[in-house]
Amino acid sequence: MVLSNNKIALVIRFAPSHPGARMDREGRGMGTILIVEDEPTILHLLRHILERAGFEVILAEDGNQALARLTETCPDLVLCDMVMPGLDGYETLAAIRRNPYTHSLPVLAVSVRNQAEDIQRALEAGANSYITKPFQRLQLLREIQRFLTAKGVP
């Protein structure tokens, strides 16, 4: 159950329907991930990788849409692009960290920018980790699993 802005939303998790989806011993999916990405090709690639790995995926095409999704559901982790029009990833991260309901939510920054100052800026804005594009599928999945395991998500 998610409480925010005096609203109550019930989150019902269904087992992933993908034929190769992994599940834990109780038949639950591997966790829910919110992907925040404005580039359709990258958004669908991330969705494909994560659904094939057994994750439930929620999509947001920009920072404002991501914040709206977070009032409706409570993912286990957020993958957030840093460079987006409108509310960029840095501002989105800051809003996530200011919200008492999402402040401790693990957020992995994903960006084409690979300079030390870009990485530092994302970490200072509240990212738990930083992955540069292009990314390796296994590296991405290992990093996600590291944070989900720490949260106790199968």
Side-chain angles (χ1 to χ4, degrees):
M1 188 176 305
V2 180
L3 301 173
S4 63
N5 299 335
N6 298 325
K7 297 178 185 175
I8 299 175
L10 180 62
V11 177
I12 301 173
R13 292 186 190 213
F14 295 96
S17 58
H18 187 277
R22 297 182 308 176
M23 294 187 210
D24 69 5
R25 291 184 193 120
E26 286 79 40
R28 294 179 303 210
M30 301 295 289
T32 303
I33 299 176
L34 171 62
I35 303 171
V36 188
E37 173 64 59
D38 66 315
E39 178 58 45
T41 304
I42 303 292
L43 182 69
H44 293 295
L45 173 65
L46 286 167
R47 178 184 192 172
H48 176 75
I49 289 169
L50 297 176
E51 285 180 343
R52 296 236 353 141
F55 296 102
E56 179 181 344
V57 175
I58 302 165
L59 304 177
E61 296 176 1
D62 59 44
N64 286 320
Q65 200 175 71
L67 297 177
R69 297 278 189 276
L70 289 171
T71 65
E72 302 163 356
T73 187
C74 185
D76 297 301
L77 183 136
V78 175
L79 281 179
C80 187
D81 183 21
M82 294 289 96
V83 181
M84 297 182 289
L87 195 67
D88 68 16
Y90 303 101
E91 296 164 317
T92 303
L93 264 168
I96 289 170
R97 294 299 178 232
R98 282 192 307 268
N99 184 325
Y101 301 106
T102 61
H103 74 277
S104 62
L105 185 62
V107 178
L108 303 184
V110 182
S111 182
V112 69
R113 294 184 176 170
N114 61 3
Q115 299 298 311
E117 54 270 8
D118 298 315
I119 296 168
Q120 185 62 35
R121 182 176 175 209
L123 296 174
E124 287 173 357
N128 297 88
S129 186
Y130 194 97
I131 298 172
T132 57
K133 298 175 193 174
F135 50 83
Q136 297 294 316
R137 182 182 64 83
L138 290 177
Q139 173 202 14
L140 175 69
L141 292 173
R142 271 190 230 116
E143 194 68 1
I144 289 169
Q145 199 58 55
R146 180 170 74 96
F147 284 98
L148 294 182
T149 300
K151 272 188 80 171
V153 176

